[in-house]
Structures are given as C-alpha cells and as structure tokens.
Amino acid sequence: MDIRNMWKDPDKTRLLPGKENVVYNYKGTVSCVCPETGKQREMCNGGFEKDRQKLKKLCPAKQMGVTCEGKAQCPVAQGLRISLSEDRRIFTPIDRSSYKWKKEYNRRTAVERVNSRLDTSFGFELHTIRGMAKMKLRCGLALCVMLAMALGRIKENQAEKMRSLVS
C-alpha cells in the first residue's frame, strides 16, 4: 500500500498533536513554524531514544545558526521528542530524514527485486508446495541457483550479464 494514498493532498502538512507550531508531512519531514514570522523550517535530526521509543528533533535556529525572530517565545527552541506511537507509519526508529534511512531503503528495494524474481522466474507466485520445510528448501535452492548463475557469468567475464537469466 502506498503511504501517499493515506494523505489526500501530498503537499499538505499535519499539526503534531500537543505542539502548536510543529508540523509534519507524509515523508516524515518535521518542521517548526516561527511564532513571530510564520516561516516554516525543517527541524534537525537528533537521533532515536530506544528506551523511550522517541525520535529527537532539534531546533534549526540553534543547530544551523539560522536567525529566528521568534526563538525567545518558541516552545520547541530546546528541541522536542516525538513518540513512535504518534504515527507509526511516519515516525520510525530510523529517522526518515537521515542518511541511514536512505541507505536502508535502498537495501529494501534490492531485496524486493530478488523477491520479484523468485515469484515470477522461479514460479513461487503460483506454487503447490505444502509445508514450511519444503518451502524453505525450495527457496534456498532457488537462491543458490541465482548465485551460481551470477558466479558463472563473472567467471566467463560477462559481469554485465550477471543478473540475467538468459544469455
């Protein structure tokens, strides 16, 4: 399910409950709104507190040296903590605005390509296998075949065709 479908307008932001000047969007970008000028700035990543299950967000004026006219009366000038239970699809232990999120997301897409190949090319989408042990064995064999084919292509100096099932 595409998370963007849950948001009627993808450009719209939602107010973080309990905070009158903090908004977030479907991508997990958390921004504070200056109480004086109304200017919206993206908050900095402050890490994840595992014991509290909360993300830390830091004031952009304090972290990046940006001048903010409303810093004195801003309720989140010292930063804030967002509970993961606020919106579990958007607030995850790895902050969506971090470099680690991008790296992990790229890994996920690579795994999805392998899963797709298992489904379509190796026939696991429409199977008649019954039992977890048999399914694990067949999946393991399919993965071994994929690796053996890739290794064969490399040994034949055809590294560019490493992912291809046919020559």
Side-chain angles (χ1 to χ4, degrees):
M1 176 165 114
D2 190 5
I3 193 169
R4 290 172 291 196
N5 292 339
M6 297 178 65
W7 292 67
K8 302 297 181 213
D9 183 9
D11 296 327
K12 189 177 178 185
T13 58
R14 293 182 182 172
L15 189 65
L16 192 67
K19 304 291 179 191
E20 67 269 5
N21 69 326
V22 179
V23 295
Y24 67 97
N25 63 11
Y26 77 94
K27 292 181 179 178
T29 304
V30 180
S31 303
C32 63
V33 180
C34 178
E36 191 74 29
T37 62
K39 188 170 183 178
Q40 187 173 317
R41 292 186 181 95
E42 185 178 339
M43 295 188 82
C44 301
N45 179 19
F48 175 66
E49 293 180 334
K50 189 174 183 178
D51 56 327
R52 293 183 178 186
Q53 291 292 298
K54 294 185 181 210
L55 283 175
K56 289 192 298 185
K57 291 293 187 174
L58 305 171
C59 174
K62 196 172 185 181
Q63 296 300 312
M64 296 187 289
V66 179
T67 55
C68 180
E69 291 79 14
K71 188 176 177 183
Q73 64 262 27
C74 182
V76 292
Q78 297 300 315
L80 78 145
R81 292 182 174 94
I82 304 170
S83 177
L84 297 185
S85 61
E86 196 67 54
D87 191 339
R88 194 61 172 94
R89 288 179 170 263
I90 296 187
F91 301 117
T92 58
I94 301 172
D95 193 4
R96 288 172 164 252
S97 63
S98 67
Y99 293 113
K100 186 176 181 182
W101 173 268
K102 290 174 184 64
K103 187 176 163 185
E104 291 296 320
Y105 194 80
N106 287 341
R107 281 189 191 162
R108 182 192 147 276
T109 57
V111 168
E112 290 299 329
R113 286 191 295 272
V114 171
N115 292 342
S116 174
R117 176 159 291 179
L118 283 173
D119 279 349
T120 56
S121 302
F122 288 92
F124 284 94
E125 197 163 30
L126 302 170
H127 66 84
T128 56
I129 303 167
R130 306 222 0 138
M132 185 60 81
K134 289 180 187 176
M135 187 54 128
K136 284 182 179 179
L137 176 68
R138 183 115 177 249
C139 284
L141 288 173
L143 291 169
C144 286
V145 167
M146 273 194 244
L147 289 171
M149 289 176 66
L151 183 62
R153 300 276 186 187
I154 290 171
K155 285 186 175 182
E156 293 293 321
N157 293 324
Q158 297 176 348
E160 68 280 351
K161 295 181 182 177
M162 178 173 38
R163 293 176 190 88
S164 177
L165 290 175
V166 294
S167 60

mmCIF file of all heavy atoms in Angstrom, residues 5-9 11 45 51 54 59 62 71-72 80 82-83 101 108 116 120 131-132 146 153 159 165:
data_model
loop_
_atom_site.group_PDB
_atom_site.id
_atom_site.type_symbol
_atom_site.label_atom_id
_atom_site.label_comp_id
_atom_site.label_asym_id
_atom_site.label_seq_id
_atom_site.Cartn_x
_atom_site.Cartn_y
_atom_site.Cartn_z
ATOM 1 N N ASN A 5 -1.237 7.495 -0.452
ATOM 2 C CA ASN A 5 -2.679 7.421 -0.629
ATOM 3 C C ASN A 5 -3.428 7.759 0.655
ATOM 4 O O ASN A 5 -4.604 8.070 0.607
ATOM 5 C CB ASN A 5 -3.089 6.024 -1.115
ATOM 6 C CG ASN A 5 -2.596 5.762 -2.513
ATOM 7 O OD1 ASN A 5 -2.297 6.688 -3.250
ATOM 8 N ND2 ASN A 5 -2.488 4.512 -2.876
ATOM 9 N N MET A 6 -2.762 7.651 1.788
ATOM 10 C CA MET A 6 -3.403 7.970 3.056
ATOM 11 C C MET A 6 -3.537 9.479 3.233
ATOM 12 O O MET A 6 -4.328 9.940 4.034
ATOM 13 C CB MET A 6 -2.615 7.382 4.211
ATOM 14 C CG MET A 6 -2.570 5.867 4.170
ATOM 15 S SD MET A 6 -1.595 5.198 5.487
ATOM 16 C CE MET A 6 -2.565 5.683 6.888
ATOM 17 N N TRP A 7 -2.758 10.229 2.523
ATOM 18 C CA TRP A 7 -2.797 11.681 2.596
ATOM 19 C C TRP A 7 -3.534 12.167 1.356
ATOM 20 O O TRP A 7 -3.111 11.903 0.228
ATOM 21 C CB TRP A 7 -1.383 12.253 2.620
ATOM 22 C CG TRP A 7 -0.640 11.926 3.869
ATOM 23 C CD1 TRP A 7 -0.235 10.705 4.277
ATOM 24 C CD2 TRP A 7 -0.218 12.843 4.868
ATOM 25 N NE1 TRP A 7 0.417 10.803 5.466
ATOM 26 C CE2 TRP A 7 0.445 12.096 5.855
ATOM 27 C CE3 TRP A 7 -0.329 14.214 5.021
ATOM 28 C CZ2 TRP A 7 0.988 12.680 6.976
ATOM 29 C CZ3 TRP A 7 0.226 14.786 6.139
ATOM 30 C CH2 TRP A 7 0.868 14.031 7.108
ATOM 31 N N LYS A 8 -4.623 12.863 1.543
ATOM 32 C CA LYS A 8 -5.414 13.343 0.400
ATOM 33 C C LYS A 8 -4.595 14.295 -0.471
ATOM 34 O O LYS A 8 -4.633 14.230 -1.675
ATOM 35 C CB LYS A 8 -6.688 14.041 0.885
ATOM 36 C CG LYS A 8 -7.571 13.149 1.736
ATOM 37 C CD LYS A 8 -8.086 11.971 0.974
ATOM 38 C CE LYS A 8 -8.978 11.122 1.852
ATOM 39 N NZ LYS A 8 -8.923 9.729 1.572
ATOM 40 N N ASP A 9 -3.877 15.186 0.162
ATOM 41 C CA ASP A 9 -3.032 16.142 -0.562
ATOM 42 C C ASP A 9 -1.590 15.917 -0.117
ATOM 43 O O ASP A 9 -1.240 16.196 1.031
ATOM 44 C CB ASP A 9 -3.479 17.571 -0.237
ATOM 45 C CG ASP A 9 -2.696 18.614 -1.005
ATOM 46 O OD1 ASP A 9 -1.921 18.246 -1.912
ATOM 47 O OD2 ASP A 9 -2.861 19.818 -0.703
ATOM 48 N N ASP A 11 1.080 17.493 -0.584
ATOM 49 C CA ASP A 11 1.823 18.696 -0.197
ATOM 50 C C ASP A 11 1.378 19.235 1.163
ATOM 51 O O ASP A 11 2.007 20.130 1.719
ATOM 52 C CB ASP A 11 1.646 19.783 -1.260
ATOM 53 C CG ASP A 11 2.238 19.364 -2.591
ATOM 54 O OD1 ASP A 11 3.251 18.644 -2.580
ATOM 55 O OD2 ASP A 11 1.670 19.737 -3.634
ATOM 56 N N ASN A 45 17.672 16.331 12.750
ATOM 57 C CA ASN A 45 17.604 15.011 13.352
ATOM 58 C C ASN A 45 18.477 14.979 14.598
ATOM 59 O O ASN A 45 19.649 15.329 14.554
ATOM 60 C CB ASN A 45 18.065 13.972 12.321
ATOM 61 C CG ASN A 45 18.056 12.569 12.839
ATOM 62 O OD1 ASN A 45 17.412 12.263 13.827
ATOM 63 N ND2 ASN A 45 18.772 11.697 12.165
ATOM 64 N N ASP A 51 15.136 3.598 24.738
ATOM 65 C CA ASP A 51 14.432 3.311 25.983
ATOM 66 C C ASP A 51 13.097 4.047 26.083
ATOM 67 O O ASP A 51 12.152 3.552 26.687
ATOM 68 C CB ASP A 51 15.314 3.629 27.198
ATOM 69 C CG ASP A 51 15.823 5.049 27.197
ATOM 70 O OD1 ASP A 51 16.070 5.593 26.099
ATOM 71 O OD2 ASP A 51 15.996 5.629 28.292
ATOM 72 N N LYS A 54 11.293 7.178 21.287
ATOM 73 C CA LYS A 54 11.005 8.520 20.775
ATOM 74 C C LYS A 54 12.120 9.014 19.867
ATOM 75 O O LYS A 54 13.284 8.712 20.072
ATOM 76 C CB LYS A 54 10.826 9.511 21.931
ATOM 77 C CG LYS A 54 9.599 9.192 22.761
ATOM 78 C CD LYS A 54 9.356 10.225 23.810
ATOM 79 C CE LYS A 54 8.130 9.816 24.595
ATOM 80 N NZ LYS A 54 7.404 10.937 25.108
ATOM 81 N N CYS A 59 16.001 22.166 17.186
ATOM 82 C CA CYS A 59 15.665 23.477 16.626
ATOM 83 C C CYS A 59 16.645 23.848 15.513
ATOM 84 O O CYS A 59 17.864 23.820 15.719
ATOM 85 C CB CYS A 59 15.702 24.515 17.731
ATOM 86 S SG CYS A 59 15.472 26.205 17.143
ATOM 87 N N LYS A 62 18.978 26.863 16.379
ATOM 88 C CA LYS A 62 20.044 26.544 17.322
ATOM 89 C C LYS A 62 21.122 25.676 16.670
ATOM 90 O O LYS A 62 22.312 25.856 16.910
ATOM 91 C CB LYS A 62 19.435 25.810 18.514
ATOM 92 C CG LYS A 62 20.293 25.749 19.724
ATOM 93 C CD LYS A 62 19.501 25.165 20.878
ATOM 94 C CE LYS A 62 20.282 25.199 22.144
ATOM 95 N NZ LYS A 62 19.537 24.612 23.260
ATOM 96 N N LYS A 71 12.483 32.985 18.368
ATOM 97 C CA LYS A 71 13.181 31.970 19.158
ATOM 98 C C LYS A 71 12.916 32.111 20.658
ATOM 99 O O LYS A 71 12.803 31.113 21.368
ATOM 100 C CB LYS A 71 14.689 32.058 18.882
ATOM 101 C CG LYS A 71 15.486 30.933 19.493
ATOM 102 C CD LYS A 71 16.945 31.037 19.098
ATOM 103 C CE LYS A 71 17.758 29.948 19.775
ATOM 104 N NZ LYS A 71 19.170 30.073 19.468
ATOM 105 N N ALA A 72 12.769 33.332 21.142
ATOM 106 C CA ALA A 72 12.563 33.571 22.575
ATOM 107 C C ALA A 72 11.235 33.004 23.065
ATOM 108 O O ALA A 72 11.148 32.463 24.165
ATOM 109 C CB ALA A 72 12.639 35.065 22.874
ATOM 110 N N LEU A 80 12.443 18.760 20.661
ATOM 111 C CA LEU A 80 11.286 18.005 21.112
ATOM 112 C C LEU A 80 11.484 16.533 20.867
ATOM 113 O O LEU A 80 12.366 16.131 20.107
ATOM 114 C CB LEU A 80 10.012 18.494 20.417
ATOM 115 C CG LEU A 80 9.761 18.040 18.988
ATOM 116 C CD1 LEU A 80 8.277 17.844 18.794
ATOM 117 C CD2 LEU A 80 10.235 19.090 18.009
ATOM 118 N N ILE A 82 9.366 13.034 19.764
ATOM 119 C CA ILE A 82 8.132 12.558 19.131
ATOM 120 C C ILE A 82 8.045 11.059 19.369
ATOM 121 O O ILE A 82 8.935 10.304 18.982
ATOM 122 C CB ILE A 82 8.126 12.851 17.617
ATOM 123 C CG1 ILE A 82 8.328 14.336 17.367
ATOM 124 C CG2 ILE A 82 6.844 12.357 16.980
ATOM 125 C CD1 ILE A 82 8.572 14.684 15.921
ATOM 126 N N SER A 83 6.956 10.644 19.984
ATOM 127 C CA SER A 83 6.744 9.226 20.250
ATOM 128 C C SER A 83 6.471 8.490 18.947
ATOM 129 O O SER A 83 5.774 9.001 18.060
ATOM 130 C CB SER A 83 5.558 9.056 21.194
ATOM 131 O OG SER A 83 5.296 7.693 21.395
ATOM 132 N N TRP A 101 18.400 6.195 6.754
ATOM 133 C CA TRP A 101 17.112 5.799 6.179
ATOM 134 C C TRP A 101 17.263 5.554 4.677
ATOM 135 O O TRP A 101 16.780 4.551 4.163
ATOM 136 C CB TRP A 101 16.054 6.860 6.436
ATOM 137 C CG TRP A 101 14.772 6.583 5.729
ATOM 138 C CD1 TRP A 101 14.397 7.014 4.498
ATOM 139 C CD2 TRP A 101 13.696 5.763 6.195
ATOM 140 N NE1 TRP A 101 13.156 6.536 4.172
ATOM 141 C CE2 TRP A 101 12.705 5.764 5.193
ATOM 142 C CE3 TRP A 101 13.482 5.033 7.365
ATOM 143 C CZ2 TRP A 101 11.521 5.061 5.335
ATOM 144 C CZ3 TRP A 101 12.295 4.344 7.492
ATOM 145 C CH2 TRP A 101 11.340 4.360 6.487
ATOM 146 N N ARG A 108 16.200 -2.257 0.901
ATOM 147 C CA ARG A 108 14.867 -2.830 0.802
ATOM 148 C C ARG A 108 14.462 -3.007 -0.654
ATOM 149 O O ARG A 108 13.916 -4.033 -1.030
ATOM 150 C CB ARG A 108 13.857 -1.930 1.518
ATOM 151 C CG ARG A 108 12.459 -2.477 1.511
ATOM 152 C CD ARG A 108 11.476 -1.400 1.978
ATOM 153 N NE ARG A 108 10.234 -1.568 1.309
ATOM 154 C CZ ARG A 108 9.924 -1.097 0.105
ATOM 155 N NH1 ARG A 108 10.801 -0.415 -0.578
ATOM 156 N NH2 ARG A 108 8.748 -1.294 -0.420
ATOM 157 N N SER A 116 10.848 -10.472 -6.302
ATOM 158 C CA SER A 116 10.115 -10.462 -7.567
ATOM 159 C C SER A 116 10.614 -11.565 -8.488
ATOM 160 O O SER A 116 9.827 -12.261 -9.144
ATOM 161 C CB SER A 116 10.259 -9.106 -8.246
ATOM 162 O OG SER A 116 9.676 -9.128 -9.517
ATOM 163 N N THR A 120 8.266 -14.546 -9.995
ATOM 164 C CA THR A 120 7.963 -14.677 -11.424
ATOM 165 C C THR A 120 8.819 -15.730 -12.123
ATOM 166 O O THR A 120 8.284 -16.647 -12.739
ATOM 167 C CB THR A 120 8.132 -13.327 -12.134
ATOM 168 O OG1 THR A 120 9.445 -12.832 -11.898
ATOM 169 C CG2 THR A 120 7.114 -12.319 -11.645
ATOM 170 N N GLY A 131 3.774 -27.077 3.345
ATOM 171 C CA GLY A 131 4.718 -27.275 4.446
ATOM 172 C C GLY A 131 5.869 -26.293 4.397
ATOM 173 O O GLY A 131 6.424 -26.006 3.330
ATOM 174 N N MET A 132 6.194 -25.774 5.575
ATOM 175 C CA MET A 132 7.252 -24.759 5.686
ATOM 176 C C MET A 132 8.623 -25.333 5.340
ATOM 177 O O MET A 132 9.427 -24.666 4.675
ATOM 178 C CB MET A 132 7.261 -24.180 7.103
ATOM 179 C CG MET A 132 8.238 -23.042 7.274
ATOM 180 S SD MET A 132 7.911 -21.645 6.187
ATOM 181 C CE MET A 132 6.615 -20.846 7.084
ATOM 182 N N MET A 146 20.383 -18.777 -8.329
ATOM 183 C CA MET A 146 20.642 -17.374 -8.706
ATOM 184 C C MET A 146 22.105 -17.022 -8.489
ATOM 185 O O MET A 146 22.740 -16.402 -9.353
ATOM 186 C CB MET A 146 19.770 -16.427 -7.874
ATOM 187 C CG MET A 146 18.413 -16.169 -8.430
ATOM 188 S SD MET A 146 17.683 -14.755 -7.601
ATOM 189 C CE MET A 146 16.307 -15.522 -6.822
ATOM 190 N N ARG A 153 28.537 -16.218 -14.665
ATOM 191 C CA ARG A 153 28.698 -15.057 -15.555
ATOM 192 C C ARG A 153 29.995 -14.314 -15.265
ATOM 193 O O ARG A 153 30.690 -13.876 -16.172
ATOM 194 C CB ARG A 153 27.525 -14.091 -15.400
ATOM 195 C CG ARG A 153 26.196 -14.658 -15.723
ATOM 196 C CD ARG A 153 25.908 -14.611 -17.170
ATOM 197 N NE ARG A 153 24.537 -15.061 -17.350
ATOM 198 C CZ ARG A 153 23.993 -15.270 -18.487
ATOM 199 N NH1 ARG A 153 24.684 -15.076 -19.590
ATOM 200 N NH2 ARG A 153 22.765 -15.687 -18.579
ATOM 201 N N ALA A 159 30.331 -10.034 -16.555
ATOM 202 C CA ALA A 159 29.799 -9.447 -15.319
ATOM 203 C C ALA A 159 28.590 -8.549 -15.574
ATOM 204 O O ALA A 159 27.710 -8.435 -14.734
ATOM 205 C CB ALA A 159 30.888 -8.660 -14.606
ATOM 206 N N LEU A 165 18.857 -13.995 -16.559
ATOM 207 C CA LEU A 165 18.588 -15.429 -16.508
ATOM 208 C C LEU A 165 18.854 -16.095 -17.843
ATOM 209 O O LEU A 165 19.131 -17.281 -17.931
ATOM 210 C CB LEU A 165 17.134 -15.684 -16.111
ATOM 211 C CG LEU A 165 16.788 -15.355 -14.667
ATOM 212 C CD1 LEU A 165 15.295 -15.542 -14.431
ATOM 213 C CD2 LEU A 165 17.568 -16.235 -13.706
#
